[in-house]
Amino acid sequence: MLVLGDAHADDPDNRRALFAAYRASDADVALQLGDLMYYDLPKPTWFVAGNNEDFDTIAALRNGLVSNSEVRNANLLASTAVDVDGVRVAGLSGNYAPTQYDRPRANLVAERRRHFTREDVERAMALQSVDVLLTHEAPHGLPVAEDYDVGCSHVDDLLSVLDPELCLVGHHHQHAEATLENTRVVSLAPTWERYYTLDPDSLSLTWFETPDG
C-alpha cells in the first residue's frame, strides 16, 4: 500500500506532487500522516488529521456527516482503527497542546480543533490488536532535527499500551527512524520529496523519490 507524509496539498505544486505519488505507486489504497489539506483523492486513503487542515471538513469526517463533492476517498482515523489489506491500522489525529488536553473535544472551537484531548487518547488506548499506528505528533526518542525537544508523553503511553509493530509519524517533514521498546517508529519525509510503500505481510517500508507532477 502507498504511505504518504505531510502533503500541504492546498498548494497547487504540492497537490501535483501528491497525485504524482499516487500514480507512481500504482497502489490500491493509501495511508497518510496528516496536514493533508486536500480531500478529493484518487484512491481510498486512511489518514490522521494534522495541525494544518480544513477543520470544518475534519469535524464533519469525525462525525460521519460529509456529503461533499470535494471530499472523496478520504477516511479519517480519529482514535479509531480499520483493517486495510489485512493490516490493523489505528490513528490518533491532531497534535498536543497542554492547555487544551483536558478540555472536552466538544469545547474545542476554530483552530483549537487541531489538538487531541485526553478523551481522544483514552479512546485510542482502548483499541486492540493494532499492527500499525499513525500519529501526527511524535513520541520521545525519534531523532528528528528541530530547535525544540521533540516528543509527547501521551504518544509514548499510547505506544506502550497498543504495542504496534510499526508507528508512522508526520509533522516534521524529515525521514528519521528509531526502535522504541518493541515498535519501529518512522518519521516520514513530506510527499513532495518522497513516497513510501508498505508491504502488508512483512510491514517493511520502502521509500522512493516523488516524480515531478
Side-chain angles (χ1 to χ4, degrees), residues 6-210:
D6 290 24
H8 293 267
D10 58 331
D11 176 90
D13 289 339
N14 291 345
R15 191 179 312 157
R16 283 190 285 273
L18 174 68
F19 278 75
Y22 278 100
R23 288 193 301 271
S25 74
D26 197 31
D28 293 329
V29 295
L31 308 178
Q32 199 276 333
L33 275 299
D35 287 3
L36 179 55
M37 303 179 74
Y38 186 81
Y39 311 97
D40 185 359
L41 305 174
K43 296 290 178 70
T45 300
W46 283 265
F47 77 105
V48 289
N51 57 303
N52 296 286
E53 302 286 1
D54 178 332
F55 291 106
D56 290 335
T57 297
I58 296 301
L61 286 167
R62 282 183 183 274
N63 294 295
L65 300 177
V66 169
S67 178
N68 185 327
S69 62
E70 296 181 358
V71 179
R72 181 171 59 105
N73 287 328
N75 305 286
L76 182 68
L77 290 172
S79 304
T80 52
V82 66
D83 290 332
V84 183
D85 280 1
V87 179
R88 179 77 164 164
V89 181
L92 175 69
S93 281
N95 72 331
Y96 175 60
T99 58
Q100 305 301 308
Y101 184 69
D102 287 311
R103 299 187 67 192
R105 166 149 296 283
N107 290 358
L108 301 187
V109 297
E111 295 301 297
R112 288 302 191 181
R113 293 177 292 176
R114 73 181 68 233
H115 305 302
F116 61 73
T117 65
R118 182 181 299 277
E119 66 188 69
D120 295 328
V121 173
E122 289 178 349
R123 281 182 57 214
M125 284 186 174
L127 301 172
Q128 297 180 347
S129 302
V130 172
D131 300 310
V132 177
L133 176 65
L134 311 183
T135 67
H136 195 68
E137 186 79 53
H140 287 96
L142 191 58
V144 292
E146 299 284 10
D147 58 2
Y148 59 90
D149 292 333
V150 172
C152 174
S153 62
H154 303 299
V155 180
D156 298 345
D157 293 343
L158 187 59
L159 279 178
S160 180
V161 169
L162 296 183
D163 192 28
E165 185 170 338
L166 178 65
C167 176
L168 301 173
V169 178
H171 189 55
H172 296 288
H173 294 194
Q174 54 190 285
H175 183 97
E177 300 192 29
T179 299
L180 306 178
E181 296 187 12
N182 299 317
T183 300
R184 180 188 181 199
V185 182
V186 183
S187 167
L188 270 62
T191 296
W192 56 86
E193 292 180 3
R194 298 181 185 183
Y195 70 91
Y196 299 73
T197 59
L198 180 67
D199 185 302
D201 296 319
S202 65
L203 298 186
S204 61
L205 196 67
T206 306
W207 69 266
F208 304 87
E209 290 187 3
T210 301

